[in-house]
């Protein structure tokens, strides 16, 4: 079960709207959707959660590049919305690199027949960490510092974030 909402900062405070991400295919599409929510080019937060597994925050400030935080990259990579947020840059990968192995560079030394390599040699450089990734200071100026963000659990993160922003009532109206 997923929940996604937009929180747009306005002169009168925060405005919330639930949002469908079915038509969003790229991070750029998501940033455009956020910008449409606030034509005054003020801060818009896209809050996404998968029930008790992970949460993500995308912050769009005007025409600046979106900033992203994902609470558990390994959990998020298994979902369509998580894959949308987990860019190569966010995961520390070479942008545009293939997801699969380069067949020309495979070392066919017999290990493909079931022999195991040492643990040191078999570490997958493209493995997704079971930890937070992204800009952990994404909400610093809004009342949630890096340490607090890292301690949030997926089950209560969006409510805690909304409370710190003074937007819990508006978020609950779209939940």
């Amino acid at each position: 079960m997923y929940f996604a909402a937009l929180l747009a900062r306005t002169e009168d405070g925060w405005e919330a709207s639930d949002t469908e991400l079915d038509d969003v295919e790229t991070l750029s599409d998501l940033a455009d959707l956020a910008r449409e929510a606030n034509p005054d080019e003020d801060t818009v937060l896209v809050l996404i959660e998968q029930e008790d597994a992970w949460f993500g925050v995308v912050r769009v400030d005007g025409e600046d590049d979106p900033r992203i935080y994902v609470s558990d990259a390994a959990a998020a990579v298994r979902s369509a919305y998580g894959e949308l947020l987990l860019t190569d840059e966010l995961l520390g990968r070479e942008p545009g690199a293939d997801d699969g192995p380069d067949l020309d560079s495979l070392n066919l030394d017999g290990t493909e027949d079931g022999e195991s390599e040492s643990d040191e040699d078999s570490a997958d450089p493209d493995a997704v960490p079971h930890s937070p990734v992204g800009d952990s200071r994404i909400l610093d100026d809004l009342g949630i510092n890096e340490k607090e963000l890292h301690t949030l659990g997926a089950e209560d993160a969006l409510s805690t974030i909304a409370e710190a922003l003074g937007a819990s009532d508006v978020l609950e109206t779209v939940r």
Side-chain angles (χ1 to χ4, degrees):
M1 183 81 157
Y2 292 94
F3 173 74
L6 296 173
L7 282 178
R9 185 166 49 184
T10 67
E11 291 177 5
D12 300 325
W14 291 93
E15 292 181 5
S17 59
D18 61 343
T19 187
E20 283 293 323
L21 299 179
D22 294 339
D23 295 331
V24 175
E25 296 179 7
T26 66
L27 182 58
S28 181
D29 292 343
L30 186 61
D32 290 343
L33 181 68
R35 287 183 186 105
E36 289 171 13
N38 194 348
D40 294 335
E41 295 190 5
D42 209 342
T43 300
V44 177
L45 300 176
V46 181
L47 305 174
I48 302 172
E49 71 179 358
Q50 180 183 4
E51 198 170 84
D52 296 336
W54 65 275
F55 72 93
V57 178
V58 178
R59 180 175 177 160
V60 178
D61 294 301
E63 292 299 319
D64 292 347
D65 288 340
R67 296 166 54 195
I68 305 164
Y69 175 83
V70 176
S71 66
D72 183 339
V77 77
R78 293 188 296 268
S79 77
Y81 298 139
E83 284 184 339
L84 179 75
L85 303 180
L86 296 172
T87 64
D88 287 336
E89 181 181 342
L90 196 69
L91 294 172
R93 296 179 181 163
E94 182 76 28
D98 281 343
D99 291 333
D102 177 7
L103 297 178
D104 293 333
S105 67
L106 286 177
N107 180 9
L108 301 178
D109 61 359
T111 58
E112 69 276 2
D113 293 327
E115 298 174 26
S116 62
E117 296 182 45
S118 70
D119 289 342
E120 192 175 302
D121 292 339
S122 64
D124 182 2
D126 291 330
V128 178
H130 284 280
S131 63
V133 295
D135 184 353
S136 56
R137 304 187 90 185
I138 193 169
L139 301 172
D140 273 2
D141 64 325
L142 300 174
I144 297 180
N145 66 36
E146 180 177 6
K147 184 178 178 183
E148 292 168 319
L149 189 60
H150 282 292
T151 61
L152 294 177
E155 65 281 349
D156 63 351
L158 300 192
S159 297
T160 303
I161 291 168
E163 187 175 316
L165 299 173
S168 50
D169 290 342
V170 294
L171 182 63
E172 286 305 314
T173 62
V174 297
R175 222 177 233 279

